[in-house]
Amino acid sequence: MAQRRGLAIRVDFNNALSMKVGNHGIAPKVVNKWQKRIDEIHAELQWEFNRGGLAFRWLPYQKPTVTKVRDVAKKLRGKVDNFVVLGIGGSALGNIALQSALKPRFYNELPKSERDSNPRIYIEDNIDPECFGALLDHIDIKKTAFNVISKSGETAETMAQFLVVRQMLKDALNEKFIKNVVITTDPESGYLREIIAEDGYKNVLEIPPGVGGRFSVLSPVGLLSAEMAGIDISRLLAGAQAMDKRCKKSNVWDNPAYLSALVHYLADTQNGKTISVMWPYSDALARLADWYVQLWAESLGKFTDPENKKGAVGQTPLKAVGATDQHSMLQLFMEGPNDKIFTFIAAGRYRHRVMIPKAFHSLLGAGYLGGKTLNDLIQAERRGVTLALTEAQRPSITVTLPVINEHTVGQLLLLLQVQTAVAGQLYGINAFDQPGVQAGKDLTYAQMGRRDKASLKAEVARKLHSDRQYIL
Ligand code: PA5
């Protein structure tokens, strides 16, 4: 139990409150006034959860899923050198976040023995032909497993990638090619289900109904590639469970997700902080910030009145990485518009310690560093920037992971998902749909000749080719 407590991530709200940043922060008495609304939201979410809804909150407790994922992984382990995820958006960003947070930086370059005989992991979340073509040139297709992930079973990017590799696998392995494919999709609907039946794939994992892409990292979507890389998925889920318990408390001052959702919501709607900057001081967590960007953007950027396309809300998420962005965006953050709320992600302890040797003792600009560590330096930079922003009346929250491991990353993922769901309730929108994404998808389908979009095809062609002026 003591160890568990030691692993708990801390969320420090001081620098987002009015005592530190004046009118740009939130006064505790204002938070107290919102407790009533938070109580209602708490009851709504609890009701939804009790009737089996709010599906992402069930994921940390799915033991049978872990068994199923491990069974599939067992079949592939030792047989393949590469494991490639084909997916996009919520079907890829969580995988990338887990790999970069929890595996060594040069994991794919390690000799197999140092990878515990696990395969190299590639997550292909784009269809850039140069990049995808380069991957296909790089890997031995016969020694590669492909995990096709699509909840809808029809996303054009993923389907196209899949069709390319399916043909290559067929050419290389004949009828045995199905062994190199794992399909992760909806248990019932979508074109991938028809393809599973027609090709006869045996390695099939299900995304529970109600779990949308950006809330699916703790489902088979994120778990299989993690397991293939040797990430302890049980510990990841245990971390998520620990945070889930903390997020079950109704008092906003006891619940980090509720308080963070409320502080972000009030910062946006009352204090003009229309931008939420996620700022890890860790390269390993930089890709988790990308995952957060999608989660916050796609969940909250909505109309409160979708029927009439009115009442547009949503805070724009932005990623920064410390210390790198101190030399890029910090000037804007310090002196540009005071329209942001920052979330620093701190690592209490880094997994490497790098000493700075003593040298040039009498040189002012170099000598002081000797005998310290890069760890000291990056922590000092984070603390310094936090303080400087606070003094410039720019609000921030600091989330500290005592160390970056499966348990703490599991906590962080769950925290941010509950925060997003609660923020959705505060804004009065549905955090779990994405109607705005569909329009772009339909226009792509029409141009690429999908039968059901034939009527749109001519209209799209006309509109795309009508702009002859103002092209320089
Ligand atoms: O979060 C979401 O719902 C989206 O980002 C989807 O994950 C993305 O569009 C890919 O969809 P699918 O998994 O259906 O292929």
Side-chain angles (χ1 to χ4, degrees):
M1 204 52 202
Q3 195 206 4
R4 281 275 153 75
R5 266 202 299 276
L7 276 178
I9 69 176
R10 287 192 311 278
V11 190
D12 183 343
F13 290 94
N14 278 289
N15 295 329
L17 300 178
S18 55
M19 297 83 84
K20 287 287 180 73
V21 290
N23 289 340
H24 292 279
I26 313 298
K29 62 173 193 276
V30 173
V31 173
N32 292 336
K33 276 197 197 140
W34 278 83
Q35 180 65 55
K36 196 162 164 286
R37 177 67 191 122
I38 290 288
D39 283 339
E40 288 164 7
I41 291 174
H42 179 76
E44 285 156 20
L45 294 181
Q46 201 54 48
W47 179 82
E48 190 61 29
F49 180 78
N50 290 342
R51 61 181 276 277
L54 216 62
F56 77 92
R57 286 192 85 163
W58 290 94
L59 296 176
Y61 304 97
Q62 298 304 306
K63 279 208 178 118
T65 302
V66 173
T67 309
K68 188 102 204 279
V69 164
R70 289 202 169 127
D71 286 347
V72 171
K74 222 180 274 167
K75 284 203 251 168
L76 298 170
R77 196 167 276 127
K79 297 201 184 68
V80 293
D81 290 339
N82 310 300
F83 185 85
V84 179
V85 170
L86 305 177
I88 195 163
S91 291
L93 287 165
N95 302 55
I96 298 173
L98 291 177
Q99 297 295 327
S100 60
L102 299 170
K103 296 310 292 178
R105 182 174 176 199
F106 298 111
Y107 170 79
N108 277 355
E109 290 164 45
L110 293 173
K112 204 170 174 177
S113 57
E114 288 179 41
R115 283 187 268 120
D116 296 327
S117 298
N118 290 319
R120 297 180 205 94
I121 309 287
Y122 300 93
I123 297 155
E124 296 302 302
D125 69 336
N126 202 356
I127 41 158
D128 178 339
E130 291 185 5
C131 216
F132 199 65
L135 175 86
L136 298 176
D137 289 346
H138 178 65
I139 54 174
D140 175 356
I141 195 109
K142 288 186 184 166
K143 302 287 273 173
T144 302
F146 292 90
N147 184 194
V148 185
I149 308 180
S150 177
K151 167 84 176 169
S152 63
E154 66 168 4
T155 301
E157 294 88 340
T158 309
M159 191 61 89
Q161 290 175 323
F162 168 55
L163 295 177
V164 172
V165 302
R166 175 181 172 276
Q167 191 59 51
M168 288 178 75
L169 284 171
K170 274 181 99 165
D171 293 345
L173 296 166
N174 301 315
E175 72 278 7
K176 289 202 189 120
F177 84 97
I178 61 167
K179 291 193 176 161
N180 288 40
V181 175
V182 183
I183 299 195
T184 307
T185 191
D186 189 88
E188 280 171 13
S189 64
Y191 296 102
L192 276 177
R193 295 261 35 130
E194 291 176 41
I195 291 174
I196 291 167
E198 198 164 323
D199 277 354
Y201 297 105
K202 303 279 180 292
N203 297 324
V204 176
L205 291 167
E206 294 175 351
I207 308 172
V211 174
R214 57 196 177 277
F215 289 91
S216 70
V217 56
L218 300 175
S219 79
V221 169
L223 294 183
L224 182 62
S225 61
E227 173 71 19
M228 289 304 292
I231 290 170
D232 185 342
I233 59 173
S234 296
R235 248 178 124 228
L236 181 75
L237 296 180
Q241 286 173 23
M243 180 54 73
D244 190 53
K245 289 198 182 91
R246 289 174 71 185
C247 296
K248 286 246 156 81
K249 301 190 172 142
S250 61
N251 187 322
V252 69
W253 294 109
D254 291 332
N255 186 321
Y258 286 10
L259 187 53
S260 193
L262 183 62
V263 164
H264 276 85
Y265 170 74
L266 294 175
D268 177 17
T269 56
Q270 305 201 352
N271 290 350
K273 312 296 176 230
T274 57
I275 299 171
S276 160
V277 181
M278 175 62 71
W279 197 343
Y281 267 68
S282 154
D283 284 339
L285 296 176
R287 303 307 309 268
L288 200 143
D290 288 329
W291 169 84
Y292 167 77
V293 163
Q294 189 220 4
L295 180 69
W296 204 242
E298 210 168 285
S299 302
L300 303 181
K302 306 268 161 77
F303 294 117
T304 51
D305 177 3
E307 289 273 292
N308 300 304
K309 298 205 180 304
K310 280 191 183 148
V313 298
Q315 203 178 30
T316 303
L318 183 69
K319 169 179 116 178
V321 179
T324 309
D325 280 305
Q326 288 181 212
H327 301 270
S328 169
M329 293 209 267
L330 184 57
Q331 174 60 37
L332 171 78
F333 293 167
M334 283 292 291
E335 297 187 357
N338 192 345
D339 56 0
K340 301 169 194 71
I341 174 164
F342 300 88
T343 301
F344 292 103
I345 310 282
R349 185 159 58 79
Y350 290 86
R351 288 162 289 186
H352 282 85
R353 187 163 184 269
V354 180
M355 280 298 302
I356 308 172
K358 290 187 178 156
F360 305 111
H361 183 66
S362 56
L363 271 190
L364 187 70
Y368 70 100
L369 292 168
K372 317 266 176 29
T373 60
L374 293 187
N375 310 53
D376 299 329
L377 181 58
I378 196 166
Q379 298 286 25
E381 300 225 20
R382 180 184 54 74
R383 286 191 295 262
V385 164
T386 310
L387 186 57
L389 282 170
T390 305
E391 291 192 340
Q393 306 269 286
R394 317 240 155 176
S396 69
I397 295 167
T398 297
V399 180
T400 304
L401 279 60
V403 65
I404 302 167
N405 63 21
E406 282 92 341
H407 200 277
T408 56
V409 168
Q411 292 175 57
L412 182 58
L413 292 169
L414 207 281
L415 169 74
L416 294 172
Q417 290 176 84
V418 179
Q419 173 184 317
T420 305
V422 174
Q425 299 290 98
L426 288 164
Y427 280 109
I429 52 92
N430 178 359
F432 302 104
D433 65 1
Q434 53 285 324
V437 178
Q438 196 55 40
K441 284 190 179 182
D442 288 345
L443 295 176
T444 302
Y445 295 147
Q447 290 174 79
M448 294 297 284
R450 212 175 105 157
R451 272 200 311 279
D452 59 342
K453 306 292 172 205
S455 58
L456 203 56
K457 191 174 178 178
E459 189 191 330
V460 175
R462 186 176 48 74
K463 285 185 179 158
L464 286 177
H465 295 108
S466 63
D467 297 333
R468 301 206 185 278
Q469 280 188 77
Y470 312 118
I471 300 175
L472 307 187

